[in-house]
């Protein structure tokens, strides 16, 4: 059981109303922002990680939606109740489905100088694909299967490797606290 007295107190006091009674909630200069994807995009824009113009921002957003589609497809397989069907589904997911998703994502990438997915510098799209496929404790239960899935996608692979090599990211990961999330 997760103990959450601070959350319960904030919820009871109405401090989480703007985020539908849930977390995350980001407060900036007294303004409250709820919903994780809205917070992601807000911070990416503030930190210069939404591309260098409005077209690149839309491309970053497009790739973020691709990540969401991949996660949704995986959850359908993961949610299968029959254990035999679930095992077969998971085997197929990592052998066929995820590599196919990666190939589709590769084809959708805008032309650019590389190695990053959009424009000439790291963006939210790079971070989202990194946390999906390569980061320590990535989204998938099968990290090796996730890593294998993008090996035949040279642009995606180059972007993931470039993201993984970022000194700021390496430092953050080395100091990050372990959580159940």
């Amino acid at each position: 059981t997760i103990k959450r007295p601070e959350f319960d107190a904030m919820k009871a006091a109405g401090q989480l109303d703007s985020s539908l009674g849930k977390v995350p909630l980001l407060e900036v200069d007294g303004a409250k922002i709820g919903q994780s994807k809205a917070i992601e995009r807000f911070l990416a824009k503030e930190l210069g990680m939404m591309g260098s113009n409005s077209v690149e921002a839309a491309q970053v957003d497009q790739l973020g939606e691709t990540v969401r589609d991949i996660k949704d497809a995986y959850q359908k397989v993961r949610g299968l109740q029959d254990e035999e069907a679930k095992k077969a589904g998971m085997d197929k997911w990592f052998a066929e489905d995820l590599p196919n998703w990666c190939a589709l994502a590769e084809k959708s990438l805008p032309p650019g100088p590389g190695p990053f997915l959009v424009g000439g510098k790291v963006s939210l799209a790079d971070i989202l694909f990194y946390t999906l496929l390569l980061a320590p404790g990535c989204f998938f239960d099968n990290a090796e299967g996730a890593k294998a899935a993008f090996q035949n996608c040279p642009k995606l692979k180059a972007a993931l490797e470039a993201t993984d090599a970022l000194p700021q990211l390496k430092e953050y990961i080395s100091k990050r606290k372990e959580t159940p999330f």
Side-chain angles (χ1 to χ4, degrees), residues 59-111:
Q59 291 168 330
V60 168
D61 210 20
Q62 168 197 325
L63 291 168
E65 292 302 312
T66 299
V67 168
R68 186 190 321 230
D69 289 345
I70 294 169
K71 287 179 174 182
D72 289 348
Y74 177 67
Q75 291 301 350
K76 288 179 184 173
V77 176
R78 197 166 180 251
L80 291 172
Q81 297 301 307
D82 179 81
E83 286 303 315
E84 196 171 302
K86 184 175 183 176
K87 182 184 180 329
M90 291 298 244
D91 289 346
K92 181 179 178 290
W93 174 262
F94 288 102
E96 298 173 29
D97 298 341
L98 185 55
N100 288 340
W101 274 107
C102 290
L104 286 171
E106 175 96 358
K107 287 181 187 177
S108 78
L109 296 177

Side-chain angles (χ1 to χ4, degrees), residues 23-45:
V23 291
L25 174 70
L26 177 66
E27 189 167 342
V28 179
D29 298 330
K32 293 181 179 180
I33 304 165
Q35 298 288 357
S36 59
K37 297 300 175 193
I39 293 168
E40 262 179 18
R41 288 188 294 269
F42 170 80
L43 291 173
K45 186 174 181 183

